[in-house]
Amino acid sequence: MSSTTRDRDPFFDNAKFLLIALVALGHSWEQVIGGTHALRAVHTVVYAFHMPAFILLSGYFSRSFTGRPDQMRRLISGVLAPYLIFEVVYTAVYHWTRDQPFSITPTAPSYLCWFMIALFVWRLSAPLWQAVRFPVPIAVAVSLAAGMTVMGGDLALPRVLMFLPWFVLGLKLRAEHFALLRTRIARRWALPAFVAAGFLAHRLAPQPDDHWLSMDAGYGVLEVSPGHYLVLRMLIFAASAVLVAAFLALVPGRRTWFTALGAVTLYPYLLHGILIRTAGYVGAFDVVKSWGLPGELLLSVCAVAAVVLLSTPPVRRVARPLVEPRFPRRGVPDKRVPVPEPAPAGGRRDP
C-alpha cells in the first residue's frame, strides 16, 4: 500500500463509493420505476440527498483550488478532457441504441456527462467564493433566482446554478464539521431521519416531480407560482441537508472492503451509463418489470455489482485512456495526479 493510500481518510472514500453505488442504483431504477410506489419512494429519498452529498464533497476537495497553472492543467486533463471524450462516447451509444443522429454538441451535455462540465465550472469559480463574504447565502440566492428565470440547457446551466449552494458549502466546511457527524449521537438520529423521509416519500408518491430534485427546471416548467416554487425549493434544501447529514453520519470511518474502490469512482460513474443504455437496448429492463419485486431486487444487486466491476484494475487499465487521458506539457513528463471524482445523477432528461 502506498503512502498516498495510507494517508487518505477512509471515511471520504467510503462515502464516495456508497454515493456512486446510489447513482448506479438510481439510474437503474428509473428504467423500471413505473407505478411501483415503494420503489418510487426509495428513488425519491435517494435523489433528495445523493447528488447534494457528492457535490458537497467535490466542493470540500476543491478548497485549495486557486487557479495555479498546475491546478488548471489537472482540471483540464482530469475533468474537461474526459467530459469531451465521453460526449463522443455517449453520442455513439445513443446513435447505436436509439438510432439518433451522430451529432456531437459539446455545449449540450449528454446523459450523465452534465456533472463533468458542472464540476469544471464550479471549480473554476472556487476562488471567487473563497473571496466573498457570506458565500453560502449568496449561492442560495443565486440558486433560487435561477429557478425564477427561463434558460436553456447549454453547459447544464440550470443545474450548475441550482446545485451551486452545495458546492459552496463544501468549500467552507472543515474536518471538524465532518467530525460532528461521526459521533454516536449523530448516528443514532440518522436512521430515523431516513425512515421518516421514506414514509413521507411513500405518502406523496408519485410526487414530487423528478425535476424538483434534479434541479433542471424553473417554476414555469414545474407549473407552479413563483411563491410556491420558492417555498418548496427552501423546503427541499432543508430536507436534503438533513438527509446529507444523516448519510454522512452512517458512513463507516474505518477501512472496509470497498474503501479502495472509493478512490476511483470516476470510472464507474462514466462507464455505468453505457451498460444501462445497452441493457435497455436488448430489452433487459422489460424482463425486470415482468418479474416484479424479485426483478427489482435482482436489478439492484446487478447495479452494485457493476459498480464494483467497473472499479477493478483490469477495467481501469482498458478505460484509462478515456477516463484519465494523458495531457503532457512540452518537455515535461506526464504524471498522473488523481482528481476528486464526480458522482452522481442523470444528465439531459431522457425518456
Side-chain angles (χ1 to χ4, degrees):
M1 183 184 300
S2 68
S3 60
T4 301
T5 302
R6 287 196 303 267
D7 292 341
R8 295 177 69 103
D9 186 342
F11 170 78
F12 292 108
D13 284 337
N14 290 339
K16 288 194 295 180
F17 173 82
L18 293 173
L19 287 170
I20 203 65
L22 289 173
V23 169
L25 285 168
H27 284 161
S28 301
W29 292 336
E30 285 173 359
Q31 313 306 314
V32 300
I33 206 165
T36 307
H37 270 45
L39 186 59
R40 166 66 70 176
V42 173
H43 178 271
T44 297
V45 172
V46 168
Y47 268 70
F49 78 89
H50 83 314
M51 204 59 221
F54 218 116
I55 296 171
L56 182 143
L57 293 180
S58 297
Y60 180 73
F61 288 109
S62 299
R63 291 170 301 152
S64 62
F65 185 86
T66 59
R68 296 193 316 264
D70 63 312
Q71 292 176 329
M72 290 299 299
R73 179 170 176 267
R74 291 198 295 271
L75 182 60
I76 292 172
S77 63
V79 178
L80 184 60
Y83 165 69
L84 295 173
I85 291 170
F86 276 87
E87 271 298 304
V88 176
V89 170
Y90 277 102
T91 298
V93 169
Y94 273 57
H95 176 68
W96 170 51
T97 62
R98 297 187 174 184
D99 200 26
Q100 293 184 359
F102 189 85
S103 178
I104 300 171
T105 310
T107 57
S110 302
Y111 197 27
L112 47 73
C113 291
W114 76 268
F115 189 79
M116 301 299 289
I117 195 62
L119 180 60
F120 182 78
V121 174
W122 287 328
R123 192 163 295 161
L124 282 179
S125 73
L128 168 65
W129 298 108
Q130 296 286 26
V132 302
R133 296 183 64 187
F134 311 116
V136 176
I138 292 174
V140 170
V142 170
S143 176
L144 294 175
M148 303 296 290
T149 63
V150 177
M151 65 181 80
D154 288 353
L155 299 179
L157 189 58
R159 283 172 161 170
V160 169
L161 297 179
M162 293 186 197
F163 275 124
L164 178 64
W166 297 107
F167 183 81
V168 176
L169 178 60
L171 286 174
K172 307 310 295 182
L173 292 179
R174 298 295 180 265
E176 53 267 29
H177 296 127
F178 288 98
L180 294 174
L181 297 174
R182 300 167 69 174
T183 62
R184 183 175 300 177
I185 294 177
R187 288 192 294 270
R188 186 177 300 164
W189 286 100
L191 191 56
F194 276 112
V195 172
F199 175 78
L200 180 61
H202 191 271
R203 289 294 301 270
L204 293 176
Q207 298 297 323
D209 189 303
D210 287 343
H211 288 291
W212 284 102
L213 301 178
S214 297
M215 300 292 171
D216 58 359
Y219 81 97
V221 173
L222 294 167
E223 299 181 341
V224 296
S225 68
H228 188 186
Y229 174 81
L230 291 175
V231 170
L232 285 181
R233 278 291 307 280
M234 291 302 296
L235 289 175
I236 289 172
F237 272 136
S240 295
V242 171
L243 293 178
V244 168
F247 167 77
L248 294 175
L250 294 174
V251 171
R254 64 186 184 283
R255 291 195 62 81
T256 66
W257 65 268
F258 55 81
T259 299
L261 304 183
V264 294
T265 53
L266 191 58
Y267 285 85
Y269 178 78
L270 290 173
L271 296 172
H272 81 277
I274 299 174
L275 299 182
I276 288 177
R277 291 302 178 231
T278 301
Y281 177 71
V282 301
F285 294 119
D286 293 332
V287 175
V288 171
K289 288 180 183 179
S290 69
W291 289 353
L293 179 59
E296 293 169 358
L297 294 175
L298 178 60
L299 176 63
S300 301
V301 172
C302 290
V304 175
V307 170
V308 174
L309 176 65
L310 295 174
S311 303
T312 57
V315 174
R316 298 204 310 269
R317 280 195 294 271
V318 173
R320 183 169 289 123
L322 302 178
V323 179
E324 296 183 275
R326 293 184 180 274
F327 195 76
R329 289 183 294 179
R330 183 178 299 175
V332 179
D334 179 65
K335 295 182 180 179
R336 297 194 184 280
V337 181
V339 296
E341 302 87 354
R348 194 162 50 204
R349 180 66 56 178
D350 296 309

